[in-house]
Amino acid sequence: MPAARALAAIHARAAIRRAVREELAELRRRILDQDFASNLLDVAGFAPQRFFSAVLSRLERQNRHALQPAINATGIIIHTNLGRAPLADVALRALAEIGGGYSTLEFDFASGGRGSRYRAVEELLCEVTGAEAGLVANNNAAAVLLALTALAAPGEVVISRGELVEIGGSFRLPDIIMQSGARLVEVGTTNKTRLADYEDAATAETRVLLKVHQSNFHIVGFTEATPVAALSQLAKARGLTLFEDLGSGSLFDLRQIGLPGERTVTDSLRSGADLVTFSGDKLLGGPQAGLIVGRRDLIARLRRHPLLRALRIDKLSLAALEATLRLYRDGDALLKVPVIRMLAQTEAELNRRAGRLRRRLAMLPELDLRIERGTTYAGGGALPGVSLPTRLVSIGARDIGVESLAAKLRDGRPPVIGRIAQNRLLLDMRTLADHELAAVAAAFRGALT
Ligand SMILES: *Cc1c(COP(=O)(O)O)cnc(C)c1O
């Protein structure tokens, strides 16, 4: 059949054969189910043209990479489902350069022998945070597991009941502590934990005092938490390790861009934390990684632990991380780290972008367009309770309906992801880049035809 021959010009024979078989099986199933609504059958019976066009769509679906770029118009900057932090240009260049060839990953120039993959990143981490030593694992969950396994197990870890958090559905502090082989000792209450609670709980079996950033929630009202400085005194007096999981962990003082001051990694070290871990792909704006900084003797114990090999960071992430950390060292984070840049955007900038997008969409008479004020959040377990003012292009769709328009946009190439409220599709300007506006307009044209 000519329609089948046309497919062979684009796709491999084996793939066509498989798709034809799958499409036939689907057709048989529909016949058995008496589902004649399918457009594969018409009054005359089998319709070859339509059949092969269905085969072609199936081939195109199958050829599409499962992992593909998407346009984030949700306004959530660190959106875990959409890949968290977009990387800086220099980090992308480093990925391509290191991934495309051989590299000095574990090569020591001076001796020509084996070197450490952690060396360059450790130096940068120390420079940027003021720490004595540093190390990197695959992600922050791995960093926490490694630290507890190496420093606490099989002894006790003391943690406040207000900090036994769950992040992203699968990272639950009590489970990670159990997995490490350490014993969880919870102290205080959900809203108040005092120094005396930690003092009373610490026994001869205690190894670690653990402090965890609440990350994705916020307790208001009558609350009390013990500051790191006070815990540090207690840890020193009793010979314990004070370990803080900062979660998102920022290297950049967000007060510079008018946001409430999160404690930075340096703040935590200065207040006396012995070890601090944080994510590479949250507020830092780098690749997935778990960064560990702190006392030299503790980092040395983590480095020697066999679990580090199993939780090792790969060379591509390492290349992107080194490039990102250099931006912080050189004072370029505000200009060049996309996450920080998105956080820093002014309402005037967002408003200008909204105007540009509205002009591009104005050719589509099916849409009812408005620019509105809104609020958004950093997301990804960063800056809980901090809302950011933003601008939205709010869209009503007369014939097709907002739900169905949103579904078509999600199914596009690239998918455009917004949010729906009160029967309007909202596109948030804080996470859209100017260079993406043309693609957004094209996606709407595609969805409406
Ligand atoms: C996000 C987060 C983690 C997990 O970090 P990943 O890099 O996603 O593994 C651990 N602890 C806290 C407090 C977090 O916010």
Side-chain angles (χ1 to χ4, degrees):
M1 284 177 175
R5 205 169 301 125
L7 291 180
I10 321 169
H11 294 281
R13 272 185 79 87
I16 298 174
R17 187 162 52 230
R18 194 183 57 218
V20 164
R21 284 184 179 149
E22 287 170 1
E23 205 56 50
L24 280 175
E26 171 80 13
L27 188 55
R28 289 192 186 101
R29 190 184 59 71
R30 292 202 173 175
I31 293 169
L32 289 175
D33 289 349
Q34 309 218 338
D35 171 11
F36 298 113
S38 151
N39 64 1
L40 299 182
L41 295 170
D42 58 18
V43 276
F46 180 66
Q49 206 61 44
R50 288 190 206 163
F51 177 80
F52 283 108
S53 122
V55 169
L56 179 62
S57 320
R58 183 176 287 269
L59 283 164
E60 280 171 353
R61 264 199 319 277
Q62 289 173 346
N63 259 0
R64 209 193 266 198
H65 287 216
L67 192 56
Q68 51 171 321
I71 294 182
N72 176 8
T74 64
I76 305 293
I77 296 172
I78 306 165
H79 198 305
T80 297
N81 300 1
L82 298 180
R84 288 199 184 160
L87 294 176
D89 287 339
V90 286
L92 293 176
R93 279 205 293 281
L95 277 181
E97 218 168 69
I98 298 305
Y102 296 102
S103 62
T104 55
L105 181 64
E106 294 192 350
F107 185 76
D108 181 37
F109 303 91
S111 67
R114 182 158 201 157
S116 158
R117 73 169 56 208
Y118 304 108
R119 191 182 25 110
V121 162
E122 174 169 27
E123 276 170 23
L124 282 164
L125 275 173
C126 292
E127 213 173 327
V128 173
T129 65
E132 280 177 21
L135 189 61
V136 194
N138 181 44
N139 59 12
N140 190 30
V144 174
L145 178 64
L146 174 66
L148 292 175
T149 309
L151 307 178
E156 293 170 355
V157 180
V158 179
I159 178 171
S160 159
R161 290 195 166 90
E163 295 173 10
L164 286 168
V165 302
E166 169 180 303
I167 289 143
S170 53
F171 181 89
R172 309 185 93 194
L173 238 295
D175 296 344
I176 297 285
I177 293 172
M178 192 193 295
Q179 190 62 42
S180 75
R183 246 185 356 273
L184 165 66
V185 176
E186 35 185 288
V187 296
T189 61
T190 306
N191 56 328
K192 291 196 179 196
T193 306
R194 302 188 181 87
L195 184 60
D197 295 320
Y198 291 93
E199 282 169 348
D200 294 346
T203 69
E205 299 298 308
T206 307
R207 297 285 171 274
V208 167
L209 302 182
L210 176 59
K211 185 129 183 89
V212 177
H213 192 285
Q214 288 173 334
S215 293
N216 54 11
F217 71 102
H218 200 60
I219 299 184
V220 295
F222 291 96
T223 66
E224 190 174 335
T226 313
V228 169
L231 287 177
S232 164
Q233 304 258 311
L234 175 61
K236 283 203 176 65
R238 305 273 185 100
L240 306 173
T241 297
L242 175 58
F243 166 27
E244 180 163 27
D245 171 12
L246 266 184
S248 185
S250 180
L251 296 178
F252 182 83
D253 186 351
L254 296 167
R255 281 170 301 201
Q256 285 182 53
I257 54 175
L259 293 174
E262 273 275 299
R263 277 172 53 252
T264 62
V265 176
T266 306
D267 293 336
S268 172
L269 291 169
R270 285 211 185 117
S271 326
D274 298 306
L275 199 74
V276 178
T277 66
F278 55 106
S279 278
D281 55 353
K282 293 185 182 172
L283 279 180
L284 187 79
Q288 179 186 305
L291 290 83
I292 313 173
V293 290
R295 254 169 50 195
R296 198 186 313 279
D297 59 319
L298 300 178
I299 296 283
R301 278 164 69 188
L302 301 193
R303 199 190 293 272
R304 282 196 304 269
H305 199 281
L307 199 50
L308 179 63
R309 176 62 178 78
L311 305 174
R312 178 162 95 174
I313 186 172
D314 84 299
K315 64 178 178 182
L316 297 182
S317 306
L318 204 54
L321 183 61
E322 182 181 338
T324 307
L325 288 173
R326 278 177 198 282
L327 294 177
Y328 283 93
R329 183 196 61 188
D330 299 342
D332 285 338
L334 180 55
L335 282 178
K336 297 189 178 160
V337 173
V339 164
I340 306 286
R341 227 171 38 208
M342 283 189 260
L343 279 170
Q345 289 170 110
T346 61
E347 289 190 66
E349 278 174 80
L350 299 169
N351 206 32
R352 268 199 300 281
R353 185 169 306 131
R356 280 188 209 121
L357 182 58
R358 180 167 62 178
R359 275 195 296 286
R360 284 182 181 273
L361 295 178
M363 350 297 202
L364 300 166
E366 300 91 329
L367 303 179
D368 161 41
L369 302 165
R370 293 204 293 259
I371 295 178
E372 292 173 358
R373 287 168 193 273
T375 42
T376 187
Y377 301 90
L383 307 179
V386 176
S387 59
L388 306 163
T390 190
R391 284 295 185 291
L392 309 164
V393 173
S394 158
I395 301 168
R398 276 180 275 279
D399 300 324
I400 151 166
V402 157
E403 296 282 347
S404 138
L405 176 61
K408 289 204 157 131
L409 289 168
R410 278 200 304 277
D411 196 39
R413 236 179 167 185
V416 175
I417 321 288
R419 57 181 202 263
I420 294 179
Q422 292 165 345
N423 206 30
R424 311 274 301 176
L425 174 62
L426 306 177
L427 303 183
D428 193 315
M429 297 302 110
R430 200 173 269 279
T431 46
L432 274 185
D434 285 327
H435 68 80
E436 288 173 321
L437 298 182
V440 172
F444 272 86
R445 282 195 299 277
L448 292 168
T449 49

